Amino acid sequence: MRHKTLNREIKRYIVSVKSYLICDWRTRQKFLKDLKNDINDFVDEKEDVTMDDIRDRFGEPEKISRSFLENADLKKIKRRMNFGRTLAVTAAIALMIWAVGVTVAVIDSSGGYIVTEFDGETISVETV
């Protein structure tokens, strides 16, 4: 059974690798999952593995991410990133349209009262 400290260090190592990856979410998640599985296999095969052993075997986080980008299908990653950006913009526009619709519904349900004049203490109200 692995030591809790090593598990924490592996998690930090994976997070560090993640911070250097520039790609879409799906590609990043798949790569990190594969890396984590490879590290777990390495740790399970050996006894008394240290974080230094893991770094020696897999490399520093910057080096891992650089190697990933050199071997990645950049056109595919770019296409996925553009799709994600388009999806986010579409969701933001839909949210704004929904907010306007709710605002109009609330105003309409208030009976259509309009303040036409405010003079000191006197307020004139008309119904639509």
Side-chain angles (χ1 to χ4, degrees), residues 48 81 83 92 95 121:
D48 298 327
M81 289 178 76
F83 176 74
L95 183 62
E121 296 177 9

Side-chain angles (χ1 to χ4, degrees), residues 26-122:
R26 185 185 318 162
T27 304
R28 181 181 316 133
Q29 292 306 105
K30 182 181 180 332
F31 177 77
L32 293 174
K33 180 182 175 188
D34 291 344
L35 176 62
K36 188 174 183 178
N37 288 338
D38 290 346
I39 291 171
N40 287 333
D41 290 345
F42 177 74
V43 170
D44 291 342
E45 291 172 3
K46 308 229 182 243
E47 289 186 29
D48 298 327
V49 175
T50 66
M51 201 57 216
D52 289 334
D53 296 330
I54 293 171
R55 287 183 190 279
D56 288 343
R57 168 69 173 86
F58 294 95
E60 293 298 319
E62 303 91 357
K63 184 179 176 186
I64 293 172
S65 61
R66 192 176 322 116
S67 175
F68 164 76
L69 290 173
E70 288 171 358
N71 298 315
D73 182 357
L74 296 180
K75 288 182 182 179
K76 185 177 182 180
I77 291 172
K78 184 177 178 183
R79 203 169 39 247
R80 284 185 178 168
M81 289 178 76
N82 286 339
F83 176 74
R85 192 175 299 128
T86 302
L87 187 61
V89 169
T90 302
I93 290 171
L95 183 62
M96 285 189 279
I97 290 171
W98 175 81
V100 168
V102 167
T103 303
V104 168
V106 167
I107 290 171
D108 191 43
S109 69
S110 68
Y113 292 104
I114 300 174
V115 175
T116 57
E117 190 177 316
F118 179 72
D119 182 25
E121 296 177 9
T122 308

Side-chain angles (χ1 to χ4, degrees), residues 1-18:
M1 177 125 180
R2 275 191 252 175
H3 196 273
K4 289 181 181 181
T5 304
L6 181 61
N7 285 336
R8 276 193 300 263
E9 289 176 352
I10 291 171
K11 284 182 184 179
R12 276 186 256 157
Y13 181 76
I14 298 289
V15 168
S16 183
V17 171
K18 181 180 178 180

